[in-house]
Amino acid sequence: MIEQLGNGLLLGLIVAIASVSLSLLYGVTRIVNFAHGEIIALGAVLTLFFSSSPESSFLYLDRFSPLGSSFIVSSIASILLCGLFGALLELCLFRPLRKNNYGNVAVLVITIGLSIFLRHIFLLFASAKPASYALDLQKREDYFGIQLTPRNVQVLIIGSVVMILVGLFLTYTKTGRAMRAVRDSSELASVSGINSDYIITLTWIFSSMLAGFTGIIQGVINNVRWNMGFLILLLIFAGSILGGIGTSFGAMFGGFIIGMLVQLSVGLSFMDGHTEAKNAIALALMILILLIRPQGIFGSKERIS
Amino acid sequence: MTSNKLLSVSSLKKSFGGLQAVNVDSLEFSENEITSLIGPNGAGKTTFFDLLTKFQNPDQGNIFFEGENVTSFQSYKLARLGMTRTFQLTRVFEKMSVLENMQFSGSSVKNESISRSLIKGKSLNNFEKELEIEVDKILELLNLSHMKYSYARELSGGQKKLLELGRALIRKPKLLLLDEPLAGVNPKLAEEILDIIKNLSIEGINIIMVEHNINAVMKISERVVVMAEGKIIADGEPEAIRNNENVIEAYLGKVNE
């Protein structure tokens, strides 16, 4: 089990960041976004598109590298484009739906459709084979008994810094506070002078950029696949619910626990040769915890009055 | 048509299906008044509030705030102009502390831009310090000091009502629409809340309130407007309203005679 600790930390980090972005979006917009996984994949795919070597078979299109194919520059460009994509989704799709008072279930089904649509767009432009970024291969080394490559360590550090920054942003900035206000009660926020449409658009941008960032680090740690976002989506939902729906710190924590459990369960002896079933134990544990604490680990019981 | 009145509406109409929920020809509210809006359940009082604050759009008619036609404005713009409201079911930011609720009301209007929110200038820091002193004073007044760092969801129903008024106190809007401020509140707290409302008025906040507690309405209001079936059926000083035949028949009942 211990040999999975390094992988557990990495998956935990990925699921944690993705859960925060999903949970924030849900909190502010009340949209259960099944297409969130595809925004994650978009970040990874765009980065590959900008930076991969010409021999890469992942994209049928010729390599597009006005950015000089630097991995860092490509990543930043992809994250920005993910933000733009989030803004477009809000402005062209979800805002008109909201103004026409579409029900939550209708919107939910629309996001499922969007997810399938986007996933197959990726498949259309890329092969079904996984691809990797053009980064040199690194050997795993021993860090305090945990096996990680130096790049994995960099990812862990950058990811943790991003999570801390997100936490600080939501807690201490006016915009973060406004997001929390809209999440709490959009009516009260609007009579307090907050333009909730503006805040919702910002949330889409912010959440999509975070999702894109998650996809890139997932691509660095594992590889880039057309359906990578979809494969991880269930874990992200599980993480958000486990932490307590609509609480950012809860989602962070819940996501981390879920990712960690999934990876650690691979190391269990009876799982030998059954790694495909690794989600089972983590999700069973999630159900168990929710039976005991229905509001999630960090969620709070509401006063009914 | 412009008016130098605080708020005026003309031929404001809203219907739901076949039901004419609000049909107000003309109504004006002037400064420095506590006005109560009374009427039977379903008279259209809350819908009227919703139309004024743009939680619903009127089918027709115009709304003027300080002489400006604000009919097409969204809620947040009206709030920034200084017109805000409370809700029948008390709303506070449940997931924020009492302090944050107050800070939020005291400062949210002044800056919303990202750049300014990321880089806190010295003046902003000072502003927040002064704000907290102000918050402490108000919480003291409301007997909520001991709950300052508690989450608002931990407050009782009555305390939430107080916090709601506290938010108004720190915000100092020009016009505050109160939707049943005394609903479900014990008599002692009701007295306190009435005192606070009077205080708000003295501080220069104009108040229009919907309320069913008729004794409180008569005691506190300088003007009473009576609605029934979406229309204004009476408008005047409390004493005149109390003796108005139409009002007795539609709302007050014989007991109050």
Short mmCIF file of all heavy atoms in Angstrom, two decimals, chain A residues 90-115:
data_model
loop_
_atom_site.label_atom_id
_atom_site.label_comp_id
_atom_site.label_asym_id
_atom_site.label_seq_id
_atom_site.Cartn_x
_atom_site.Cartn_y
_atom_site.Cartn_z
N GLU A 90 -21.21 30.29 -20.47
CA GLU A 90 -22.16 31.06 -19.68
C GLU A 90 -22.95 32.03 -20.56
O GLU A 90 -24.16 32.08 -20.51
CB GLU A 90 -21.41 31.81 -18.56
CG GLU A 90 -22.04 33.10 -18.06
CD GLU A 90 -23.37 32.93 -17.34
OE1 GLU A 90 -23.76 31.78 -17.08
OE2 GLU A 90 -24.02 33.96 -17.07
N LEU A 91 -22.22 32.78 -21.40
CA LEU A 91 -22.88 33.85 -22.15
C LEU A 91 -23.80 33.30 -23.25
O LEU A 91 -24.87 33.84 -23.49
CB LEU A 91 -21.84 34.79 -22.77
CG LEU A 91 -20.99 35.57 -21.76
CD1 LEU A 91 -19.94 36.41 -22.47
CD2 LEU A 91 -21.88 36.45 -20.89
N CYS A 92 -23.37 32.21 -23.91
CA CYS A 92 -24.13 31.73 -25.07
C CYS A 92 -25.12 30.62 -24.71
O CYS A 92 -26.03 30.33 -25.47
CB CYS A 92 -23.20 31.20 -26.15
SG CYS A 92 -22.00 32.40 -26.68
N LEU A 93 -24.91 29.97 -23.58
CA LEU A 93 -25.77 28.83 -23.28
C LEU A 93 -26.49 28.98 -21.94
O LEU A 93 -27.73 29.02 -21.89
CB LEU A 93 -24.93 27.54 -23.30
CG LEU A 93 -25.67 26.24 -23.05
CD1 LEU A 93 -26.73 26.01 -24.10
CD2 LEU A 93 -24.69 25.07 -23.03
N PHE A 94 -25.72 29.08 -20.86
CA PHE A 94 -26.37 28.97 -19.56
C PHE A 94 -27.09 30.23 -19.14
O PHE A 94 -28.10 30.15 -18.44
CB PHE A 94 -25.35 28.51 -18.51
CG PHE A 94 -24.92 27.08 -18.73
CD1 PHE A 94 -23.68 26.79 -19.28
CD2 PHE A 94 -25.78 26.05 -18.45
CE1 PHE A 94 -23.31 25.47 -19.51
CE2 PHE A 94 -25.43 24.73 -18.68
CZ PHE A 94 -24.18 24.45 -19.21
N ARG A 95 -26.60 31.41 -19.56
CA ARG A 95 -27.33 32.62 -19.20
C ARG A 95 -28.69 32.66 -19.88
O ARG A 95 -29.70 32.90 -19.22
CB ARG A 95 -26.53 33.89 -19.50
CG ARG A 95 -27.28 35.14 -19.08
CD ARG A 95 -26.48 36.40 -19.27
NE ARG A 95 -25.31 36.44 -18.42
CZ ARG A 95 -24.46 37.47 -18.39
NH1 ARG A 95 -24.66 38.52 -19.15
NH2 ARG A 95 -23.41 37.43 -17.61
N PRO A 96 -28.75 32.41 -21.21
CA PRO A 96 -30.08 32.39 -21.83
C PRO A 96 -31.00 31.35 -21.18
O PRO A 96 -32.19 31.63 -20.99
CB PRO A 96 -29.78 32.01 -23.29
CG PRO A 96 -28.38 32.43 -23.51
CD PRO A 96 -27.68 32.29 -22.20
N LEU A 97 -30.45 30.20 -20.82
CA LEU A 97 -31.28 29.19 -20.16
C LEU A 97 -31.82 29.71 -18.83
O LEU A 97 -32.98 29.54 -18.49
CB LEU A 97 -30.48 27.90 -19.90
CG LEU A 97 -30.11 27.06 -21.12
CD1 LEU A 97 -29.19 25.92 -20.72
CD2 LEU A 97 -31.36 26.51 -21.77
N ARG A 98 -30.92 30.39 -18.09
CA ARG A 98 -31.32 30.91 -16.78
C ARG A 98 -32.41 31.96 -16.93
O ARG A 98 -33.36 32.00 -16.16
CB ARG A 98 -30.08 31.50 -16.10
CG ARG A 98 -30.27 31.83 -14.64
CD ARG A 98 -28.94 32.08 -13.95
NE ARG A 98 -28.23 33.24 -14.43
CZ ARG A 98 -27.07 33.22 -15.08
NH1 ARG A 98 -26.48 32.07 -15.33
NH2 ARG A 98 -26.48 34.32 -15.48
N LYS A 99 -32.24 32.84 -17.94
CA LYS A 99 -33.22 33.93 -18.11
C LYS A 99 -34.59 33.37 -18.48
O LYS A 99 -35.61 34.00 -18.26
CB LYS A 99 -32.76 34.91 -19.19
CG LYS A 99 -31.46 35.62 -18.87
CD LYS A 99 -31.57 36.55 -17.68
CE LYS A 99 -30.20 37.06 -17.26
NZ LYS A 99 -30.16 37.59 -15.90
N ASN A 100 -34.59 32.18 -19.09
CA ASN A 100 -35.87 31.57 -19.44
C ASN A 100 -36.36 30.61 -18.38
O ASN A 100 -37.27 29.83 -18.61
CB ASN A 100 -35.76 30.84 -20.78
CG ASN A 100 -35.64 31.83 -21.92
OD1 ASN A 100 -36.39 32.79 -21.98
ND2 ASN A 100 -34.67 31.62 -22.79
N ASN A 101 -35.71 30.67 -17.20
CA ASN A 101 -36.14 29.85 -16.07
C ASN A 101 -36.21 28.37 -16.36
O ASN A 101 -37.17 27.70 -16.00
CB ASN A 101 -37.50 30.33 -15.55
CG ASN A 101 -37.39 31.66 -14.85
OD1 ASN A 101 -36.40 31.90 -14.16
ND2 ASN A 101 -38.37 32.51 -15.04
N TYR A 102 -35.20 27.86 -17.05
CA TYR A 102 -35.16 26.41 -17.26
C TYR A 102 -34.97 25.71 -15.92
O TYR A 102 -34.25 26.20 -15.07
CB TYR A 102 -34.02 26.03 -18.21
CG TYR A 102 -34.47 25.93 -19.63
CD1 TYR A 102 -34.84 27.05 -20.34
CD2 TYR A 102 -34.58 24.69 -20.25
CE1 TYR A 102 -35.29 26.96 -21.64
CE2 TYR A 102 -35.02 24.58 -21.54
CZ TYR A 102 -35.37 25.72 -22.24
OH TYR A 102 -35.82 25.62 -23.51
N GLY A 103 -35.63 24.57 -15.75
CA GLY A 103 -35.52 23.84 -14.50
C GLY A 103 -34.14 23.22 -14.34
O GLY A 103 -33.41 23.05 -15.33
N ASN A 104 -33.80 22.89 -13.11
CA ASN A 104 -32.49 22.32 -12.83
C ASN A 104 -32.26 21.01 -13.58
O ASN A 104 -31.16 20.73 -14.02
CB ASN A 104 -32.33 22.06 -11.33
CG ASN A 104 -32.12 23.34 -10.56
OD1 ASN A 104 -31.86 24.38 -11.18
ND2 ASN A 104 -32.23 23.29 -9.26
N VAL A 105 -33.32 20.21 -13.68
CA VAL A 105 -33.16 18.91 -14.33
C VAL A 105 -32.89 19.10 -15.83
O VAL A 105 -32.01 18.44 -16.40
CB VAL A 105 -34.39 18.02 -14.10
CG1 VAL A 105 -34.25 16.72 -14.84
CG2 VAL A 105 -34.58 17.77 -12.61
N ALA A 106 -33.61 20.04 -16.43
CA ALA A 106 -33.39 20.31 -17.86
C ALA A 106 -31.94 20.74 -18.08
O ALA A 106 -31.26 20.25 -19.00
CB ALA A 106 -34.34 21.39 -18.34
N VAL A 107 -31.45 21.63 -17.23
CA VAL A 107 -30.08 22.11 -17.38
C VAL A 107 -29.08 20.98 -17.16
O VAL A 107 -28.09 20.85 -17.87
CB VAL A 107 -29.81 23.29 -16.41
CG1 VAL A 107 -28.35 23.70 -16.45
CG2 VAL A 107 -30.69 24.48 -16.77
N LEU A 108 -29.39 20.12 -16.19
CA LEU A 108 -28.53 18.96 -15.92
C LEU A 108 -28.40 18.09 -17.17
O LEU A 108 -27.30 17.69 -17.56
CB LEU A 108 -29.12 18.14 -14.77
CG LEU A 108 -28.45 16.81 -14.47
CD1 LEU A 108 -27.32 17.02 -13.48
CD2 LEU A 108 -29.43 15.80 -13.92
N VAL A 109 -29.53 17.83 -17.80
CA VAL A 109 -29.50 16.99 -19.00
C VAL A 109 -28.72 17.68 -20.12
O VAL A 109 -27.96 17.04 -20.85
CB VAL A 109 -30.94 16.62 -19.44
CG1 VAL A 109 -30.93 15.88 -20.76
CG2 VAL A 109 -31.62 15.79 -18.37
N ILE A 110 -28.88 19.00 -20.20
CA ILE A 110 -28.12 19.75 -21.20
C ILE A 110 -26.62 19.60 -20.96
O ILE A 110 -25.84 19.41 -21.90
CB ILE A 110 -28.56 21.23 -21.20
CG1 ILE A 110 -29.95 21.33 -21.84
CG2 ILE A 110 -27.55 22.09 -21.96
CD1 ILE A 110 -30.62 22.65 -21.66
N THR A 111 -26.19 19.64 -19.69
CA THR A 111 -24.75 19.51 -19.44
C THR A 111 -24.27 18.10 -19.79
O THR A 111 -23.14 17.93 -20.24
CB THR A 111 -24.35 19.82 -17.97
OG1 THR A 111 -24.86 18.81 -17.11
CG2 THR A 111 -24.84 21.17 -17.53
N ILE A 112 -25.14 17.09 -19.61
CA ILE A 112 -24.74 15.73 -20.01
C ILE A 112 -24.55 15.69 -21.52
O ILE A 112 -23.55 15.15 -22.03
CB ILE A 112 -25.79 14.69 -19.55
CG1 ILE A 112 -25.85 14.65 -18.02
CG2 ILE A 112 -25.46 13.31 -20.11
CD1 ILE A 112 -26.93 13.74 -17.46
N GLY A 113 -25.50 16.30 -22.24
CA GLY A 113 -25.39 16.34 -23.69
C GLY A 113 -24.13 17.07 -24.13
O GLY A 113 -23.38 16.62 -25.00
N LEU A 114 -23.86 18.19 -23.46
CA LEU A 114 -22.67 18.98 -23.77
C LEU A 114 -21.41 18.15 -23.55
O LEU A 114 -20.46 18.19 -24.34
CB LEU A 114 -22.67 20.22 -22.88
CG LEU A 114 -21.57 21.24 -23.10
CD1 LEU A 114 -21.73 21.89 -24.46
CD2 LEU A 114 -21.59 22.30 -22.01
N SER A 115 -21.42 17.38 -22.47
CA SER A 115 -20.28 16.54 -22.14
C SER A 115 -20.01 15.52 -23.25
O SER A 115 -18.88 15.38 -23.73
CB SER A 115 -20.55 15.84 -20.80
OG SER A 115 -19.77 14.67 -20.69
#
